[in-house]
Amino acid sequence: MSKFCENCGAEINDNETVCPNCNQPVGVAATAETVEAKVEETVKTETASTSTDKKADTKKLAIIGGGIAAAVVVILAIIISIVSGRYKSPIKKYYKGLNKCDSDTYAAAFPDFLKIDESVTDSSLKDEKKDDEKDYGDNVKYSYKILKKTKVEKKDLEYVQDYIKERYDEKVKVTKGFKVKIKDSVKGKEDFDYYTSDRYVYKIDGKWYVLSVSPETAKSYLK
């Protein structure tokens, strides 16, 4: 019966002490059947290892895919949040203009056809703040908090659009609107006060503006 190297399976002579193929010391010689069994065992082990690796890769891909999907959802949520919150933009400009006594920023909160920039100046805003400082102390700050918003229905937007055309002779497109309940606050070094008020913001020709005209007022004007 032929003898084989236990390490590599190569056939060796009976008197060999070192395998001529792999140079490993020859201990107990292996039969052909033993070598075949070892080869089968090695193949099974490698196959099982490959199968495990494939499962692991599949799991990794699933995790990566899930992570990408989650990231897309987060990005979409952020975009939706930004887009849906644009109605706040003119309100922010309004209060920023008040606090900084910046008439340009203040006027940007309103549509051009109101011509706010012709009646409001940096000086007039400073004078208004000085009057409030008499009641509340130095360094008066104006702030706000949106308590609630109510969507203006499409049919009511048409009344506002017609009102603008009749009242200001401006042909515009009013596509969205909200009635916004705001908590206004004024605070100085000595005192503070707050009150709630309703403001209307409209998307006019693609941009959001403050326009203190309710649909009811618009209807009444058009009668």
Side-chain angles (χ1 to χ4, degrees), residues 73-200:
V73 170
V74 171
I75 292 171
L76 286 175
I78 292 172
I79 292 172
I80 291 171
S81 176
I82 292 171
V83 172
S84 63
R86 284 179 180 169
Y87 76 94
K88 300 176 183 178
S89 176
I91 300 174
K92 290 180 180 178
K93 290 176 183 177
Y94 174 86
Y95 286 93
K96 184 178 180 181
L98 283 178
N99 281 309
K100 292 184 175 293
C101 296
D102 183 344
S103 59
D104 289 338
T105 301
Y106 180 89
F110 303 91
D112 291 341
F113 56 77
L114 291 182
K115 299 180 179 180
I116 297 295
D117 56 343
E118 294 182 5
S119 58
V120 177
T121 64
D122 291 355
S123 296
S124 65
L125 291 175
K126 288 176 182 178
D127 290 341
E128 183 177 340
K129 180 174 278 192
K130 284 179 181 179
D131 286 341
D132 285 334
E133 287 178 343
K134 293 176 184 178
D135 297 324
Y136 303 104
D138 294 338
N139 298 323
V140 162
K141 297 294 181 185
Y142 306 99
S143 61
Y144 72 97
K145 181 179 181 181
I146 294 176
L147 303 176
K148 182 181 178 181
K149 70 170 183 173
T150 306
K151 183 179 178 181
V152 177
E153 298 299 327
K154 184 177 180 180
K155 58 183 179 62
D156 290 329
L157 293 175
E158 292 174 358
Y159 286 117
V160 175
Q161 184 172 290
D162 291 341
Y163 167 86
I164 294 171
K165 187 175 186 304
E166 292 294 324
R167 175 70 174 78
Y168 299 101
D169 195 26
E170 287 286 336
K171 189 176 180 180
V172 297
K173 189 72 174 175
V174 182
T175 52
K176 289 183 181 180
F178 291 109
K179 176 183 179 181
V180 185
K181 184 175 286 296
I182 294 177
K183 178 181 177 181
D184 290 276
S185 300
V186 54
K187 183 178 181 181
K189 281 190 174 182
E190 298 174 9
D191 201 0
F192 73 94
D193 197 4
Y194 66 89
Y195 58 93
T196 58
S197 61
D198 291 331
R199 304 279 177 88
Y200 284 87

